[in-house]
PDB file of all heavy atoms in Angstrom:
ATOM      1  N   LEU A 162      30.832   3.646 -12.744  1.00  0.00           N
ATOM      2  CA  LEU A 162      31.899   3.737 -13.743  1.00  0.00           C
ATOM      3  C   LEU A 162      33.284   3.644 -13.101  1.00  0.00           C
ATOM      4  O   LEU A 162      34.207   3.052 -13.665  1.00  0.00           O
ATOM      5  CB  LEU A 162      31.760   5.026 -14.554  1.00  0.00           C
ATOM      6  CG  LEU A 162      30.481   5.144 -15.390  1.00  0.00           C
ATOM      7  CD1 LEU A 162      30.556   6.349 -16.325  1.00  0.00           C
ATOM      8  CD2 LEU A 162      30.203   3.881 -16.199  1.00  0.00           C
ATOM      9  N   ARG A 163      33.431   4.220 -11.916  1.00  0.00           N
ATOM     10  CA  ARG A 163      34.735   4.115 -11.233  1.00  0.00           C
ATOM     11  C   ARG A 163      35.035   2.657 -10.879  1.00  0.00           C
ATOM     12  O   ARG A 163      36.165   2.184 -11.022  1.00  0.00           O
ATOM     13  CB  ARG A 163      34.742   4.971  -9.976  1.00  0.00           C
ATOM     14  CG  ARG A 163      34.891   6.452 -10.261  1.00  0.00           C
ATOM     15  CD  ARG A 163      35.581   7.117  -9.085  1.00  0.00           C
ATOM     16  NE  ARG A 163      35.856   8.523  -9.312  1.00  0.00           N
ATOM     17  CZ  ARG A 163      36.887   8.988  -9.979  1.00  0.00           C
ATOM     18  NH1 ARG A 163      37.739   8.147 -10.532  1.00  0.00           N
ATOM     19  NH2 ARG A 163      37.063  10.297 -10.125  1.00  0.00           N
ATOM     20  N   LEU A 164      34.006   1.940 -10.401  1.00  0.00           N
ATOM     21  CA  LEU A 164      34.220   0.528 -10.027  1.00  0.00           C
ATOM     22  C   LEU A 164      34.446  -0.328 -11.275  1.00  0.00           C
ATOM     23  O   LEU A 164      35.280  -1.238 -11.277  1.00  0.00           O
ATOM     24  CB  LEU A 164      33.036   0.013  -9.203  1.00  0.00           C
ATOM     25  CG  LEU A 164      32.896   0.669  -7.820  1.00  0.00           C
ATOM     26  CD1 LEU A 164      31.513   0.415  -7.224  1.00  0.00           C
ATOM     27  CD2 LEU A 164      33.972   0.169  -6.856  1.00  0.00           C
ATOM     28  N   GLN A 165      33.720  -0.017 -12.342  1.00  0.00           N
ATOM     29  CA  GLN A 165      33.919  -0.744 -13.603  1.00  0.00           C
ATOM     30  C   GLN A 165      35.373  -0.637 -14.053  1.00  0.00           C
ATOM     31  O   GLN A 165      35.972  -1.594 -14.555  1.00  0.00           O
ATOM     32  CB  GLN A 165      33.003  -0.158 -14.683  1.00  0.00           C
ATOM     33  CG  GLN A 165      33.162  -0.771 -16.058  1.00  0.00           C
ATOM     34  CD  GLN A 165      32.768   0.192 -17.172  1.00  0.00           C
ATOM     35  OE1 GLN A 165      33.065   1.390 -17.102  1.00  0.00           O
ATOM     36  NE2 GLN A 165      32.071  -0.321 -18.172  1.00  0.00           N
ATOM     37  N   ARG A 166      35.957   0.533 -13.878  1.00  0.00           N
ATOM     38  CA  ARG A 166      37.328   0.760 -14.334  1.00  0.00           C
ATOM     39  C   ARG A 166      38.378   0.052 -13.474  1.00  0.00           C
ATOM     40  O   ARG A 166      39.572   0.099 -13.785  1.00  0.00           O
ATOM     41  CB  ARG A 166      37.585   2.272 -14.431  1.00  0.00           C
ATOM     42  CG  ARG A 166      36.964   2.853 -15.713  1.00  0.00           C
ATOM     43  CD  ARG A 166      36.577   4.312 -15.570  1.00  0.00           C
ATOM     44  NE  ARG A 166      36.124   4.889 -16.826  1.00  0.00           N
ATOM     45  CZ  ARG A 166      34.910   4.701 -17.371  1.00  0.00           C
ATOM     46  NH1 ARG A 166      34.037   3.900 -16.796  1.00  0.00           N
ATOM     47  NH2 ARG A 166      34.585   5.301 -18.512  1.00  0.00           N
ATOM     48  N   LEU A 167      37.950  -0.594 -12.385  1.00  0.00           N
ATOM     49  CA  LEU A 167      38.884  -1.419 -11.610  1.00  0.00           C
ATOM     50  C   LEU A 167      39.035  -2.808 -12.232  1.00  0.00           C
ATOM     51  O   LEU A 167      39.944  -3.559 -11.893  1.00  0.00           O
ATOM     52  CB  LEU A 167      38.384  -1.591 -10.162  1.00  0.00           C
ATOM     53  CG  LEU A 167      38.204  -0.310  -9.334  1.00  0.00           C
ATOM     54  CD1 LEU A 167      37.679  -0.655  -7.944  1.00  0.00           C
ATOM     55  CD2 LEU A 167      39.513   0.462  -9.225  1.00  0.00           C
ATOM     56  N   LEU A 168      38.126  -3.151 -13.145  1.00  0.00           N
ATOM     57  CA  LEU A 168      38.178  -4.468 -13.793  1.00  0.00           C
ATOM     58  C   LEU A 168      39.103  -4.429 -14.999  1.00  0.00           C
ATOM     59  O   LEU A 168      39.182  -3.411 -15.686  1.00  0.00           O
ATOM     60  CB  LEU A 168      36.782  -4.870 -14.282  1.00  0.00           C
ATOM     61  CG  LEU A 168      35.692  -5.081 -13.236  1.00  0.00           C
ATOM     62  CD1 LEU A 168      34.362  -5.384 -13.928  1.00  0.00           C
ATOM     63  CD2 LEU A 168      36.067  -6.214 -12.295  1.00  0.00           C
ATOM     64  N   PRO A 169      39.794  -5.545 -15.268  1.00  0.00           N
ATOM     65  CA  PRO A 169      40.585  -5.588 -16.495  1.00  0.00           C
ATOM     66  C   PRO A 169      39.669  -5.527 -17.719  1.00  0.00           C
ATOM     67  O   PRO A 169      38.501  -5.941 -17.629  1.00  0.00           O
ATOM     68  CB  PRO A 169      41.289  -6.946 -16.417  1.00  0.00           C
ATOM     69  CG  PRO A 169      40.592  -7.729 -15.369  1.00  0.00           C
ATOM     70  CD  PRO A 169      39.843  -6.778 -14.487  1.00  0.00           C
ATOM     71  N   GLN A 170      40.183  -5.006 -18.837  1.00  0.00           N
ATOM     72  CA  GLN A 170      39.396  -4.988 -20.077  1.00  0.00           C
ATOM     73  C   GLN A 170      38.902  -6.406 -20.351  1.00  0.00           C
ATOM     74  O   GLN A 170      39.613  -7.368 -20.109  1.00  0.00           O
ATOM     75  CB  GLN A 170      40.268  -4.524 -21.255  1.00  0.00           C
ATOM     76  CG  GLN A 170      40.628  -3.049 -21.248  1.00  0.00           C
ATOM     77  CD  GLN A 170      39.439  -2.128 -21.515  1.00  0.00           C
ATOM     78  OE1 GLN A 170      38.407  -2.574 -22.007  1.00  0.00           O
ATOM     79  NE2 GLN A 170      39.591  -0.851 -21.184  1.00  0.00           N
ATOM     80  N   GLY A 171      37.697  -6.511 -20.829  1.00  0.00           N
ATOM     81  CA  GLY A 171      37.179  -7.847 -21.128  1.00  0.00           C
ATOM     82  C   GLY A 171      36.307  -8.379 -19.999  1.00  0.00           C
ATOM     83  O   GLY A 171      35.507  -9.284 -20.205  1.00  0.00           O
ATOM     84  N   GLU A 172      36.463  -7.852 -18.789  1.00  0.00           N
ATOM     85  CA  GLU A 172      35.568  -8.252 -17.695  1.00  0.00           C
ATOM     86  C   GLU A 172      34.477  -7.212 -17.551  1.00  0.00           C
ATOM     87  O   GLU A 172      34.745  -6.013 -17.640  1.00  0.00           O
ATOM     88  CB  GLU A 172      36.342  -8.350 -16.368  1.00  0.00           C
ATOM     89  CG  GLU A 172      36.963  -9.689 -16.160  1.00  0.00           C
ATOM     90  CD  GLU A 172      37.576  -9.825 -14.758  1.00  0.00           C
ATOM     91  OE1 GLU A 172      37.139  -9.133 -13.822  1.00  0.00           O
ATOM     92  OE2 GLU A 172      38.509 -10.624 -14.638  1.00  0.00           O
TER      93      GLU A 172
END
Side-chain angles (χ1 to χ4, degrees):
L162 297 189
R163 284 209 176 278
L164 293 164
Q165 177 207 40
R166 282 152 174 78
L167 300 179
L168 296 176
Q170 288 291 343
E172 273 187 25

